[in-house]
Each structure stands twice: as structure tokens, then as C-alpha cells.
Amino acid sequence: MRVILAGTPSFASAIFTPMLEDSSFEILALICQPDKPFGRKGELKAPHTKEMLTQKNLQHIQILQPSSIDSAFIESIRDLKPDMILVVAYGKILPQAFLDIAPCVNIHASLLPQWRGASPIQQMLLSQPNFFGITAMKMNLQLDSGEILGFSYLANTEQNFTLLCEQLSHLGAKLAIHTLKHFNEIKPLKQYDLDSSYCGKIVKSCGKVELENAKSVYYAYLAYCEWPHIFIQSESGYTLKLFDLHLVESTQSHKQGEILSIDSQSIIVGCLMGSLRIGFLQQEGKAKIPAPLYINGKRLKIGDILC
């Protein structure tokens, strides 16, 4: 089967990798986002999928990084004569002319129609369902609303974003291979828009939390542990990031941000409902340090307010 892959981040790489080792597939090309400036120096950084192919030295696979999906690019893809196109977190809307080249299968990291859009994994972690999942669907012009071709799911064990990505990409790789191999045998299932929910892109401000509900803060920590991290705003205006967070309890009432306990490894801070154990803190513009060391440096004690 002649296949074109379209995807950009590490999540896509993890799903694509098993296909590269499966002799059933002839991978013609990878479509990914252009290299982008990174860091203070603005040096160009390649997408994870491009780096993955380069490291594997798979020079026979074309790497295509169009700035736009225009008619010329669509024709170049049509000339490759793919049987299938597999899309995983590519990052751009694909026009109908592209979708008409060959059946386009998308692997989306939620149980559709829940959490259509750009940040489904984070939204699942924030909403904390009993099960997390991943869906294969046949793409159409509407956002993540194509017919469902299959899905896989796993139990919620309070995974954080990093672990859940790893687990879902493992399931997604198996789902992608099964869906492509059995595409003509699968009876698609229509999505119902009334059951749908949507999520946008994650921005830095998503990480701001208020120490009101300990459970909500903890779930935000699970969702944003890689970026943008969670942080509270001090009365002085600086931000304080919270790391190595654990939910202590979720029912007792405390002053917002009250320091309840200090030991050699961590501190416990109260919320209006519940309390949290914090291992590390990072004040804006400074290094991340153990929470007890931060408390000592600020000359805070039990009963004081953290920030």
C-alpha cells in the first residue's frame, strides 16, 4: 500500500514509526510544518517527524514542508499516486482538493465527537473522564467531524500529559495500521454534532491557576506539566510556577495559599477546598528550586500565604 504521512509533533512520530517497519506499507512522503525559529537566538528547528526520518536515514522518503497547501502542492501529491494518506496532528486545514487525492485517515487523540480541535489530550486531563481514548476517522472539510473508522481506549489512572501521550500514541499506531489495512472492510460510523465538544490551542495563560479547588489545580498540573506549566500570580506581580504536585485531600477548607506544612522535601499548601503537596517552585526569571528552600529564602512559615 502506497501511503503518504502528514504530521508534525512527537506524537505523530510515535504513531508513524511502526508503519516504517511494516512491509505492508510503502511510505512515499512525509508532509510536515516548515522549520520554525526556536529559542532566544531564533535558530531554525525542524519538526519532530522530520528529525525522526533524518535520524533513521530514510532518504527514500520525501520530506515536504509547504508553507501553504496550494494547487501546485496538491498536484505534486497527486503525482505520487498514494493509495492512502494518514494524518496525525499536522497542524493545518487540508482543502477538499487535497482530501480528494486519496482516502485521508486522521488519528485524533480523543473519543470523538468529544474534544474536536487542537488540544484534546489536555482537555481530557482537565475534564477527567473514566476513560481516555483515540479515534480513527475519515477526514472531511469540517473540523474533526468525519466518519469514525475505529477507536481505542484506556482507563484513567491519573496519568499526566507526558504519560498519556505515550500511551495514546502506542494505541494510535496499532489503530492506524489496522484502519489502513482494513479500510475497505470498515463500515464508517457517523458523528453526531449534538454530542460534540471543542478545544482550542493551548496558550501560556492557560497555565494560570487560583488556589481555590485543589482537584482543579491538580488536574491542570497533569494537563500542562510539559507546557505552559501551572503558575500562580503574586500580589507583587511576578508568577510562581508549581512543580511535582500531588493532591493531598479535596474536602477540607483552608485559607487560599496558606502554608500548612513544611518538611525537607516539600510543602503542603491549602486551597479554599482541599490541599496540595508541592515539591518545587520557580519564581519568574529565576531557577527552579525545592519548595522548602524557596520558603526559607522568603522567610515564610506555617500559617503564612505562599504568594
Side-chain angles (χ1 to χ4, degrees):
M1 182 185 297
R2 295 166 60 84
V3 178
I4 289 177
L5 306 176
T8 299
S10 58
F11 185 75
S13 294
I15 291 176
F16 292 159
T17 296
M19 295 187 65
L20 302 173
E21 302 163 357
D22 191 320
S23 60
S24 302
F25 302 109
E26 179 187 355
I27 307 302
L28 306 174
L30 166 71
I31 306 170
C32 58
Q33 293 283 341
D35 296 0
K36 293 183 178 180
F38 179 79
R40 293 183 178 179
K41 295 183 179 179
E43 297 177 348
L44 288 179
K45 181 176 177 61
H48 196 282
T49 47
K50 177 182 177 180
E51 290 184 339
M52 179 265 295
L53 286 187
T54 302
Q55 290 171 2
K56 291 180 179 296
N57 197 30
L58 299 174
Q59 299 179 10
H60 62 286
I61 299 176
Q62 296 185 54
I63 298 177
L64 309 172
Q65 298 176 271
S67 56
S68 64
I69 310 297
D70 56 20
S71 57
F73 179 74
I74 290 171
E75 284 304 312
S76 70
I77 295 301
R78 186 176 285 114
D79 289 343
L80 293 175
K81 296 180 170 56
D83 298 313
M84 302 285 291
I85 299 173
L86 178 66
V87 182
V88 183
Y90 171 52
K92 286 185 179 180
I93 300 296
L94 298 172
Q96 188 63 52
F98 183 95
L99 300 178
D100 290 339
I101 294 171
C104 292
V105 173
N106 176 235
I107 303 298
H108 182 79
S110 77
L111 292 171
L112 291 170
Q114 289 187 325
W115 304 124
R116 297 171 177 173
S119 57
I121 298 179
Q122 291 93 334
Q123 293 303 324
M124 285 192 291
L125 288 166
L126 290 172
S127 60
Q128 289 291 303
N130 291 328
F131 295 91
F132 301 122
I134 192 163
T135 303
M137 70 169 183
K138 185 177 181 182
M139 295 183 70
N140 60 19
L141 273 179
Q142 285 71 47
L143 179 67
D144 298 329
S145 62
E147 295 177 315
I148 293 174
L149 303 171
F151 62 88
S152 295
Y153 63 92
L154 70 160
N156 180 348
T157 59
E158 295 194 354
Q159 303 94 317
N160 64 15
F161 178 81
T162 304
L163 178 56
L164 186 55
C165 280
E166 180 183 338
Q167 293 174 331
L168 289 177
S169 64
H170 180 71
L171 290 178
K174 292 183 177 181
L175 180 61
I177 290 172
H178 176 84
T179 302
L180 264 59
K181 287 184 177 181
H182 299 276
F183 181 79
N184 293 325
E185 307 161 23
I186 295 172
K187 184 177 180 180
L189 177 67
K190 182 180 179 180
Q191 292 191 47
Y192 289 95
D193 292 340
L194 288 175
D195 298 327
S196 66
S197 51
Y198 293 84
C199 51
K201 291 184 178 180
I202 302 299
V203 296
K204 187 175 181 179
S205 60
C206 291
K208 183 179 178 181
V209 297
E210 303 289 343
L211 298 178
E212 296 177 348
N213 186 302
K215 268 190 177 181
S216 297
V217 174
Y218 178 60
Y219 296 155
Y221 168 72
L222 296 179
Y224 302 137
C225 65
E226 288 194 3
W227 191 87
H229 306 292
I230 62 168
F231 58 89
I232 54 178
Q233 192 88 37
S234 76
E235 293 183 357
S236 302
Y238 65 83
T239 61
L240 185 65
K241 291 182 179 179
L242 317 179
F243 296 93
D244 191 19
L245 209 70
H246 299 275
L247 181 65
V248 177
E249 48 82 23
S250 59
T251 58
Q252 296 182 37
S253 179
H254 310 277
K255 292 179 183 178
Q256 192 170 345
E258 179 185 3
I259 300 170
L260 303 175
S261 173
I262 305 171
D263 61 32
S264 61
Q265 302 295 322
S266 62
I267 64 173
I268 295 178
V269 172
C271 301
L272 295 180
M273 183 177 292
S275 57
L276 300 159
R277 183 178 297 277
I278 305 171
F280 290 84
L281 293 165
Q282 183 178 17
Q283 185 173 322
E284 185 177 4
K286 298 185 178 181
K288 181 170 72 172
I289 60 174
L293 185 60
Y294 176 88
I295 293 300
N296 185 57
K298 291 288 185 179
R299 297 181 178 176
L300 297 172
K301 60 186 183 301
I302 292 174
D304 289 341
I305 303 301
L306 175 62
C307 193

